[in-house]
Amino acid sequence: IGISIWHIADRVWDRYQTLGTIYHGYMIYPNTVFNSCLSGDALGMQRNIFLLCVPILATIPYAASAYRERMSGYAGQIFSRISRKKYGIAKYLAVFLSGFLAVCVPLVFDFMGTLLFMPLIHPEITTFTDMVGEAAFFGNLYYAHPMVYTGIIYLIASTFGGLCAVLALGAGRFLRSSFAVLVFPFIINMLWNYMTNLKGIAEWQFMTYMSLLQPVYHMAAWKAGVLLLGLFAAGILLNTLPFQGKDAL
C-alpha cells in the first residue's frame, strides 16, 4: 500500500497536471488510468520496485506460520485434534490466499487511486503512450477491452504471489530460519531472472507477465501458463516431499 500511495503522489499527480494540454491548437490525447497506474507506468521506479518485491510481499503475511508453529511446538497440539493431511490442506489454502491478497490489494488500491485523477478511456494505439502492440500478448484485448486485460494481468500477478507464499511454506519444512523462509521465493526469482537474462529469454520471467506493459518480445499466454504451472508444481513438491527431521510435520 505504501508503494501505491508513493506512486499516486509522485507519478499520477504529475500526469494529472498534463491533462488538457494543447499542442499546435489540438488537445493531446490524454494519458489513461491504464498507462498511469502502478503496473502500467513505464517510467515510474515504483513499478519496478513493486514487481521485484512481489515474492517478499506475498510471503510476509502468513507463509512462515507453519514454520513458527512447528518450532514452537504448537503444531503438535494441533495434530492431537486433527490429522496432518487436513492441517496441510488448510494451511496450503490459507497461505495461498494470503499471498494472493497481499499482491492483489495494493494493485487494486493503486488502480482505484489512479482512477481518481486519470480518465477511464480506451488506450489509443496511435499515441504511442502504451507499450502494448496489437500483435502482442493479448494486445487486441488491451485496446478493445482494457478492463478485462487489466483483470487478467492482476490475476496472473496475484496468483504468482499466492504460489510464492506456498513455495515459502514448503521451504519452511527444510530451512531453519524464519527469515530464510520469507526470502526463499525472492532469491529463487532473482536467480531465475539472472539465468533468463543471461540466455536472452526475458519472456520467461515471471515479472514480465505481471505488468500491463509488454517490455519484451515473444510473450505468449501459454508461456505465462507454463511458468505458473511450474511454480505450482515446485510448491507441491516442497510441501509433499518426505522429511524425517525430528520436528517434521
Side-chain angles (χ1 to χ4, degrees):
I1 298 295
I3 295 177
S4 300
I5 295 175
W6 175 28
H7 171 256
I8 293 171
D10 178 41
R11 295 288 301 162
V12 176
W13 179 254
D14 284 347
R15 291 198 171 193
Y16 172 72
Q17 304 299 315
T18 67
L19 294 179
T21 300
I22 304 298
Y23 183 73
H24 286 204
Y26 295 92
M27 187 177 76
I28 298 176
Y29 194 83
N31 286 303
T32 71
V33 65
F34 303 104
N35 62 23
S36 301
C37 65
L38 181 62
S39 61
D41 187 358
L43 302 178
M45 71 171 71
Q46 295 90 349
R47 166 184 166 270
N48 294 328
I49 293 173
F50 178 81
L51 294 179
L52 197 63
C53 293
V54 161
I56 292 181
L57 295 175
T59 59
I60 288 176
Y62 202 56
S65 59
Y67 169 82
R68 298 190 185 102
E69 289 169 2
R70 187 179 75 247
M71 300 305 292
S72 66
Y74 182 65
Q77 299 181 36
I78 297 177
F79 296 148
S80 67
R81 294 169 175 81
I82 63 172
S83 67
R84 294 169 183 259
K85 182 178 180 180
K86 289 183 178 180
Y87 171 84
I89 294 175
K91 182 64 71 174
Y92 184 99
L93 293 176
V95 168
F96 176 83
L97 288 175
S98 70
F100 185 96
L101 292 175
V103 177
C104 184
V105 170
L107 288 174
V108 174
F109 176 85
D110 179 88
F111 188 88
M112 298 301 291
T114 304
L115 196 56
L116 295 174
F117 301 95
M118 306 306 295
L120 182 63
I121 56 178
H122 280 218
E124 174 55 54
I125 194 170
T126 59
T127 63
F128 301 103
T129 57
D130 301 88
M131 293 178 60
V132 181
E134 283 189 295
F137 172 64
F138 289 139
N140 287 328
L141 186 62
Y142 177 72
Y143 291 102
H145 304 285
M147 285 296 294
V148 177
Y149 175 89
T150 301
I152 292 174
I153 297 300
Y154 284 7
L155 180 62
I156 291 175
S158 302
T159 302
F160 173 70
L163 294 176
C164 280
V166 168
L167 195 68
L169 174 67
R173 301 174 65 229
F174 305 94
L175 300 176
R176 289 294 176 268
S177 165
S178 179
F179 177 77
V181 171
L182 294 176
V183 302
F184 179 77
F186 175 77
I187 294 174
I188 295 298
N189 186 54
M190 292 298 291
L191 290 174
W192 180 256
N193 288 346
Y194 173 76
M195 289 188 294
T196 51
N197 282 329
L198 201 62
K199 296 294 183 179
I201 49 174
E203 72 273 14
W204 284 101
Q205 294 179 4
F206 292 100
M207 62 186 301
T208 300
Y209 295 92
M210 296 189 292
S211 171
L212 295 184
L213 309 176
Q214 299 200 22
V216 300
Y217 295 107
H218 310 304
M219 294 172 61
W222 69 270
K223 293 180 180 179
V226 169
L227 286 170
L228 292 177
L229 284 175
L231 189 58
F232 171 76
I236 291 293
L237 185 65
L238 281 179
N239 281 282
T240 56
L241 279 175
F243 179 51
Q244 302 300 326
K246 65 178 181 178
D247 52 357
L249 292 180

